[in-house]
Amino acid sequence: MRFVTKAIALALASTTLAAAGAATPAFAQKAANTVRFAYDQAPENVDPFFNNVRIGVIIGANVWDTLVYRDPVTNEYKGQLAKSWKQIDDKTIEFELREGVKFHNGEEFDADDVVYTLNFVAKPESKVVTQGNVNWIEKAEKLDKYKVRLTTKEIFPAAIEYLAGPVVIHPNEYYEKVGPKGQNEKPVGSGPYKVTNYVPGKSITLETNKDYFKDSPKAQAKVGKIEIRFIPDRQTQMAEMLSGGGDLIMHVPKDQADQLKTVPMLQVVSGETMRIVFMQMNILENTPSPALKDERVRKAIIHAIDREAMVKNIVGDGSRVINTICFPSQFGCTDEGAARYPYDPAKAKALLAEAGVKDLTLDIVAYRERNQTEALIGYLQAVGIKTNLRFLQYAAMRELIATNKAMLTHQTWGSFSVNDVSANTPNYFAFRSEDITRDPQVRDLLNKGNNSVAPEVRKEAYKEALKIIADKAYAAPLYSLPVYYVANKDLLFKAYPDELVRFWEMSWK
């Protein structure tokens, strides 16, 4: 914390100089109508279908459009690339498409783009990173130039929610030619911003799409340029903000955000998000830590963690303890009847002793919120569990999990901002690549919830699945994650629960 305190003092001094007439980078960027945004993770691929980190979702929402748009305030669905849609039967939806829309490369938008994109991502051999976003699609058919029919494999009530979220539309001629690799190297969408420069792992520059269609539910962008830099080190991000070298950062730790509230040239905005925090425990046949196959050990791990204290002292306002692996607002999310694991280090030690476990050492893999990971490590050490921290980029962590090399994980999931359990729990418990539990009963219940047309049947199936996961301590649900944003005081922007940074809404005072 010494770094932050010293930096704040320097920032206060520089603010005084600025008031006396000295120019600062912040004022220069405001005059240039540019927002400089720093993020701690780099996307593994800018193509939204081959990305699994939040910054990729943010870039995707600003550079690409979807058939449907969900208003983040009212949750009302509105036409975006589609003017309207009609449910023909339980598995069929027809879309009337908007005319006069162009992609950033000048390619005209029509049914061919929708059909090609949906059929491409629906094929398992295309290897879309998050299969749950697209594996419900059976096929898309062109009815005429501006009309498309979409068929789902099973009854999938959440289809419109996904079509309003992670399922963007690519230009078919360009995408067929360059594929995901080319779309990553030179991204082309139809959104309010276009990519003008991209250095993988370093930065990406977005500029206003001046030809963006006027009838979009997304506003016409007011800020001319967005410069995004990928800066893994949090202290470097802080230094940039305090020196006037940056305009916006997010996921700032609570203690640092509280200190930055005193800096006159900055503003701090926070609020709860749909992102949940949890720990996975590998119980597969060839798990690198056989002790985790014992239910008593898994329960001991959960009892060892004081989640209420973490929420109050580390995580911050807007956070709440969760008891099941889902976000409370999502359709089908409930903790009714699920086992509770209050903080009880004595019980944790007793369970470990009962299991005959001594000198247990676990690798814990994590990729963000390192201060929270370190707190978890402290709680585990207090009951006799030693840990080795492996702090990685998200793609590397996911690879460890998928190849059965992870023991214990500390991670988060924002559901691609989809407000339905189908976008959350099944990703980790329905036999997908990141499922390190593989309980057939849980899988079948989740699939039943995903594919039933009856809301009450869906809710009951999810409830049963969530109860089994909790009762058997397959994972440790921790809390919802608030986001603290630190921004230039003259930047007008709004924080939303879905964690999407809507650059197209921003403006300068």
Side-chain angles (χ1 to χ4, degrees):
M1 294 312 133
R2 289 179 183 173
F3 171 88
V4 179
T5 303
K6 183 178 179 181
I8 289 174
L10 291 171
L12 289 168
S14 65
T15 303
T16 303
L17 287 173
T24 69
F27 296 139
Q29 293 305 311
K30 177 180 177 180
N33 198 22
T34 297
V35 168
R36 299 157 302 169
F37 175 54
Y39 199 85
D40 60 351
Q41 294 275 316
E44 50 194 297
N45 191 312
V46 176
D47 183 336
F49 295 111
F50 296 87
N51 155 78
N52 216 355
V53 293
R54 176 56 45 173
I55 185 60
V57 178
I58 291 169
I59 293 169
N62 284 276
V63 174
W64 282 271
D65 285 326
T66 49
L67 288 172
V68 183
Y69 181 79
R70 176 162 60 82
D71 187 298
V73 176
T74 66
N75 287 324
E76 176 189 1
Y77 294 116
K78 300 177 180 179
Q80 191 167 9
L81 290 176
K83 290 191 297 185
S84 62
W85 57 95
K86 180 169 62 174
Q87 192 83 37
I88 304 302
D89 57 40
D90 288 345
K91 297 183 182 180
T92 310
I93 311 171
E94 289 186 358
F95 296 87
E96 293 285 347
L97 305 181
R98 200 176 296 278
E99 300 179 33
V101 176
K102 288 187 177 181
F103 290 94
H104 301 150
N105 63 352
E107 190 176 324
E108 181 186 358
F109 165 75
D110 58 25
D112 291 332
D113 305 300
V114 178
V115 170
Y116 184 83
T117 300
L118 297 184
N119 286 336
F120 176 82
V121 300
K123 294 185 296 185
E125 56 266 34
S126 295
K127 297 182 179 179
V128 168
V129 167
T130 303
Q131 279 292 308
N133 290 343
V134 296
N135 64 4
W136 51 275
I137 299 171
E138 175 65 31
K139 63 181 178 179
E141 303 168 272
K142 178 180 177 179
L143 301 182
D144 64 35
K145 188 173 183 179
Y146 294 104
K147 191 171 184 178
V148 169
R149 175 179 294 154
L150 172 63
T151 305
T152 62
K153 291 178 181 176
E154 305 290 342
I155 295 171
F156 190 64
I160 296 299
E161 177 70 15
Y162 282 79
L163 293 170
V167 185
V168 306
I169 302 300
H170 287 317
N172 73 297
E173 293 173 18
Y174 180 71
Y175 203 54
E176 188 172 11
K177 179 181 177 181
V178 305
K181 182 176 183 294
Q183 184 67 293
N184 176 57
E185 293 169 350
K186 293 186 178 180
V188 174
S190 64
Y193 281 95
K194 58 185 178 181
V195 177
T196 55
N197 187 55
Y198 177 42
V199 182
K202 299 290 186 180
S203 65
I204 187 166
T205 302
L206 314 181
E207 294 187 22
T208 303
N209 174 13
K210 295 180 180 178
D211 297 321
Y212 192 54
F213 63 101
K214 299 296 187 291
D215 293 331
S216 174
K218 294 178 181 177
Q220 302 293 308
K222 299 180 183 68
V223 174
K225 182 185 289 187
I226 310 294
E227 296 177 351
I228 302 172
R229 286 185 295 160
F230 311 124
I231 304 176
D233 182 62
R234 180 68 64 190
Q235 302 291 35
T236 303
Q237 289 188 25
M238 294 289 185
E240 287 290 286
M241 292 300 296
L242 291 166
S243 68
D247 301 304
L248 179 66
I249 57 175
M250 63 189 295
H251 301 136
V252 179
K254 174 184 180 294
D255 57 346
Q256 296 182 8
D258 288 343
Q259 292 184 65
L260 291 169
K261 289 176 182 177
T262 66
V263 179
M265 66 183 185
L266 300 176
Q267 59 175 312
V268 176
V269 178
S270 66
E272 185 181 33
T273 71
M274 290 176 62
R275 183 171 296 276
I276 63 168
V277 185
F278 59 98
M279 298 173 74
Q280 280 185 284
M281 306 185 219
N282 188 340
I283 66 168
L284 296 180
E285 187 62 33
N286 297 317
T287 173
S289 181
L292 292 174
K293 297 178 75 171
D294 191 315
E295 189 174 307
R296 293 167 295 186
V297 174
R298 302 196 300 272
K299 289 179 176 179
I301 287 172
I302 309 177
H303 277 301
I305 301 166
D306 191 344
R307 295 175 292 169
E308 295 285 357
M310 288 191 68
V311 164
K312 180 180 179 181
N313 301 317
I314 300 174
V315 186
D317 295 339
S319 176
R320 55 179 142 168
V321 169
I322 58 172
N323 295 298
T324 48
I325 306 295
C326 55
F327 183 70
S329 77
Q330 290 180 310
F331 179 89
C333 183
T334 181
D335 60 10
E336 183 183 347
R340 300 290 202 278
Y341 299 93
Y343 175 54
D344 192 337
K347 187 168 186 177
K349 290 177 182 178
L351 284 166
L352 291 171
E354 185 182 324
V357 172
K358 296 179 181 179
D359 301 320
L360 178 61
T361 299
L362 298 172
D363 287 351
I364 180 168
V365 61
Y367 76 108
R368 56 180 284 174
E369 270 72 47
R370 184 170 184 144
N371 64 325
Q372 296 177 29
T373 312
E374 290 170 349
L376 294 171
I377 288 172
Y379 283 121
L380 295 178
Q381 288 177 336
V383 299
I385 300 174
K386 298 177 182 177
T387 56
N388 299 314
L389 173 58
R390 303 184 66 182
F391 201 79
L392 306 170
Q393 286 285 313
Y394 184 77
M397 182 192 74
R398 198 178 70 244
E399 179 67 18
L400 281 181
I401 296 170
T403 55
N404 196 24
K405 294 176 182 176
M407 298 181 187
L408 193 63
T409 76
H410 170 219
Q411 56 182 307
T412 76
W413 185 247
S415 299
F416 282 84
S417 305
V418 173
N419 203 26
D420 192 281
V421 163
S422 62
N424 196 331
T425 320
N427 198 57
Y428 300 96
F429 296 97
F431 282 54
R432 297 174 191 169
S433 62
E434 292 171 74
D435 184 354
I436 50 179
T437 302
R438 308 235 165 196
D439 183 320
Q441 186 181 6
V442 172
R443 174 199 61 197
D444 293 346
L445 285 166
L446 291 172
N447 287 339
K448 182 179 180 180
N450 289 354
N451 302 127
S452 174
V453 70
E456 291 308 314
V457 172
R458 296 189 72 206
K459 288 181 180 179
E460 186 60 32
Y462 288 141
K463 177 183 173 181
E464 290 183 44
L466 291 165
K467 184 179 186 302
I468 293 170
I469 294 167
D471 291 354
K472 294 189 175 182
Y474 285 149
L478 298 175
Y479 37 77
S480 61
L481 193 68
V483 167
Y484 284 86
Y485 298 82
V486 175
N488 184 304
K489 69 177 180 61
D490 288 333
L491 183 64
L492 294 172
F493 80 101
K494 183 176 180 180
Y496 291 97
D498 61 12
E499 278 184 281
L500 279 182
V501 180
R502 292 167 167 81
F503 293 120
W504 68 84
E505 290 185 356
M506 292 184 183
S507 61
W508 289 101
K509 292 180 182 176

